[in-house]
Amino acid sequence: MNRKSIVVLISGSGSNMQAIVRAAQQRQWESRWGARVVGVVSNRPEAPGLSWARDQGLVTRIVDHKAYDGREAFDAALREVVDGLVPDGRPDLVVLAGFMRILTPGFVAHYEGRMLNIHPSLLPAFPGLHTHRRAIEAGCRFAGATVHRVTAELDHGEYLEQAVVPVLPDDTPETLAARVLTQEHLIYPRAIERLLASL
Ligand code: GRF
C-alpha cells in the first residue's frame, strides 16, 4: 500500500486538528489507507494546539508569520516547511484547520487539488470573517460549516461536506460558534476519510 501523508495547519486551539488526529487513530486510517498525520504546523508559536500535538507524539513545526516581511516571504517559508515534512517533498493532503491566514495564489496553486479548509458557515453564504454574528444579524434560522477544497478564490472551492445547525432565538455568536464547532469535528474527518478512500 502506498503511504499517504497528511499535514495539518493550525493557528489556535486546533480543535479540528485534534478531531482529525483522533479519527485517524480510532478509524485506523494507517492500516486502511496507509494514511497518517505526518506533521502539525502553526503560524503562531503560542498556538495551544501545538502542545496537544506534541503530547500525541506528532511532529510539529512553527513558521511565525511575524518573522517574515510580507505574505510572499511567509508563504514561501511555510511551503518549504510543509513539503519538508515528507521524504518526497509532496504531502498528499494539506489540511487547514483553524488556520487564520489568507494564503497567496502561488501557495494555493502549489497545493491545488490537495488542500482543504473548513469554513464556519453554509457556503456560499457568509464567506470571510465573523460568520456567526453575520448569520444572527441576518436573521438566519440555520447556520453551519463547510469543508471545501482550497482554490485561489477565498472560501470558494468544491464543497466536500456540510453540516447544518439551528440558530436559536437567544443565540450569541459564541453559543452558535460552539454548536457549529461540534459539527465541524464530525464533518472534517468524514471529508478526509472519503478523500483517502478515493486517492
Ligand atoms: C473554527 O470555527 C473553524 O471553522 C475556523 O477556525 C475556528 C477554530 O478552529 N476555521 P480550531 O478550533 O482551531 O480547529
Side-chain angles (χ1 to χ4, degrees), residues 9 11 16 19 40 87 93 129 131 136 145-146 155 162 170 197:
L9 277 60
S11 297
N16 275 288
V40 174
L93 276 182
L129 297 174
T131 58
I136 292 169
T146 305
D155 296 336
Q162 289 192 305
D170 57 351

Side-chain angles (χ1 to χ4, degrees), residues 11-17 97-100 117-120 132 181 184-185:
S11 297
S13 61
S15 70
N16 275 288
M17 173 272 295
F99 189 66
M100 305 311 272
N117 185 43
I118 191 158
H119 181 75
H132 303 307
L181 197 58
E184 292 180 29
H185 298 161

